[in-house]
Amino acid sequence: MLNIGRLSALLIIITAVLAAGCTQPAETAPDRETMYQVSTFSALSQGVYEGIIPVVTLLQNGDTGLGTFDALDGEMVCLEGKVYQVKGDGTVVETGDNVTVPFAAVTFFDADSTRQLEGLQGLSNLTTLIDAELPSDATMYALKVHGNFSHVKTRSVPAQEKPYPALVDAVKNQSVFERENVSGTIVGVRFPAYMDGVNVAGYHCHFISDDRQFGGHLLDCTLENGTLMIDGTDRFVMVLPRGMQGVDSAKADSSVVSAIEQ
C-alpha cells in the first residue's frame, strides 16, 4: 500500500511540474537603443532588390526609419509604428504586414534632444545645423523634423523588373514631386563615415505629410518652423543581404552614391 505521506509528496511534485509547463515566458521588452538594418546599401546599389523580411518583422525591431520594398517598389517611411509606401506615381499607402523589404534602417525612437527651428532654406543648411547639434560624428542617429514647410521636393522610383538594374540606373526613371505649404515630418538616419557601404555615410532622409498624401525620398526643402528631434544609438543589428552571388561586395563609389541620393 502506498504511504499517504509519499502520495502527498508525489502529488505536490506533479502539480509543480504541470504549473511550470503552463507558465508562459515573460515577453522580452524590445531593445530601444539599437539600429536595426535590413541588408546593406552597397547590395541595394548593385540591384539586390528582393525582399527578405516582412513589414511585420521590421516593426518588431523599430517604429521609425526608412527604406524601400520588394523590387524597389517606391520609398518607405516608417513613422510612429506604421509603414508607408510612396509609390512611383506619388500615391501613398499604409502597407500590409506581409509586404517584404530588401533594405531598411529602423529604431525605436526616443529623442535624446530636441530643438525648435525656424527659417531654414535648403536641405543642406538643415543637415549642417543638425551636425552642429550632434555630440559625436562617430555614432548612428535617427532624426525627425516635424513642422511647416513652404516647399518640399521628393522623389520615388517605380518597381523594377528582372534582371534588376543597378540603383544608379533605376533612379534615372524616378518621378519628382513638389508641394508648397505642407506640414509633415522628415524621417532620417545619419551614419558615420566608417560605415559607408553598410549604409549611406551621412544623411539619408525621407518625408511624409501630415495628411499622409505626399512624401518620398527627400531631395530638398524649405522649413518655415518646426521641431528637430535626435535619437543617437551605438548598437547595430543587421539582417545579411541575400542573392549576392556574383555581386561585388565593395562599397558603392561616392559618385554613384551622390547620383542616387540627389
Side-chain angles (χ1 to χ4, degrees):
M1 181 179 291
L2 185 61
N3 180 279
I4 297 298
R6 293 178 62 188
L7 177 60
S8 297
L10 181 60
L11 289 173
I12 291 171
I13 291 171
I14 292 172
T15 302
V17 170
L18 289 174
C22 293
T23 301
Q24 297 296 321
E27 196 170 307
T28 304
D31 182 354
R32 301 189 66 87
E33 295 299 330
T34 293
M35 187 74 74
Y36 176 87
Q37 183 167 304
V38 181
S39 190
T40 68
F41 184 77
S42 178
L44 185 76
S45 70
Q46 295 174 75
V48 182
Y49 302 151
E50 292 193 9
I52 56 178
I53 69 161
V55 161
V56 65
T57 301
L58 189 72
L59 290 176
Q60 290 169 359
N61 293 277
D63 59 14
T64 303
L66 47 76
T68 187
F69 301 95
D70 183 64
L72 200 70
D73 188 9
E75 306 287 346
M76 174 198 295
V77 183
C78 180
L79 181 61
E80 297 174 347
K82 296 182 178 181
V83 172
Y84 300 94
Q85 179 183 16
V86 184
K87 296 186 176 183
D89 63 0
T91 58
V92 182
V93 297
E94 185 177 344
T95 64
D97 287 346
N98 295 324
V99 174
T100 58
V101 177
F103 176 80
V106 298
T107 189
F108 288 103
F109 195 92
D110 300 303
D112 297 323
S113 64
T114 62
R115 174 177 168 173
Q116 298 303 305
L117 303 176
E118 288 190 19
L120 280 168
Q121 175 78 40
L123 180 58
S124 61
N125 286 329
L126 175 60
T127 56
T128 297
L129 182 148
I130 296 172
D131 276 340
E133 296 289 314
L134 302 180
S136 169
D137 63 0
T139 191
M140 298 166 291
Y141 297 93
L143 61 98
K144 295 192 290 187
V145 179
H146 179 261
N148 301 306
F149 298 81
S150 59
H151 178 250
V152 176
K153 182 179 181 181
T154 65
R155 72 108 190 272
S156 187
V157 179
Q160 304 298 298
E161 296 183 357
K162 294 181 179 180
Y164 292 135
L167 187 56
V168 69
D169 295 317
V171 299
K172 291 176 182 177
N173 296 318
Q174 69 184 16
S175 297
V176 175
F177 314 106
E178 298 189 65
R179 181 74 64 88
E180 309 294 326
N181 301 317
V182 57
S183 297
T185 304
I186 296 172
V187 176
V189 292
R190 184 191 186 280
F191 279 74
Y194 62 81
M195 295 185 75
D196 188 21
V198 174
N199 206 299
V200 177
Y203 292 93
H204 184 177
C205 298
H206 289 187
F207 180 87
I208 190 163
S209 61
D210 286 348
D211 64 8
R212 305 300 190 251
Q213 298 298 307
F214 170 77
H217 176 97
L218 185 62
L219 297 174
D220 203 6
C221 64
T222 298
L223 176 69
E224 291 184 352
N225 54 72
T227 303
L228 165 66
M229 296 157 277
I230 300 173
D231 181 18
T233 179
D234 59 2
R235 295 201 292 272
F236 182 75
V237 171
M238 184 173 72
V239 179
L240 293 176
R242 301 176 191 169
M244 292 292 290
Q245 294 86 351
V247 175
D248 183 1
S249 61
K251 68 181 181 180
D253 180 82
S254 60
S255 63
V256 172
V257 172
S258 179
I260 292 168
E261 289 300 295
Q262 297 177 11

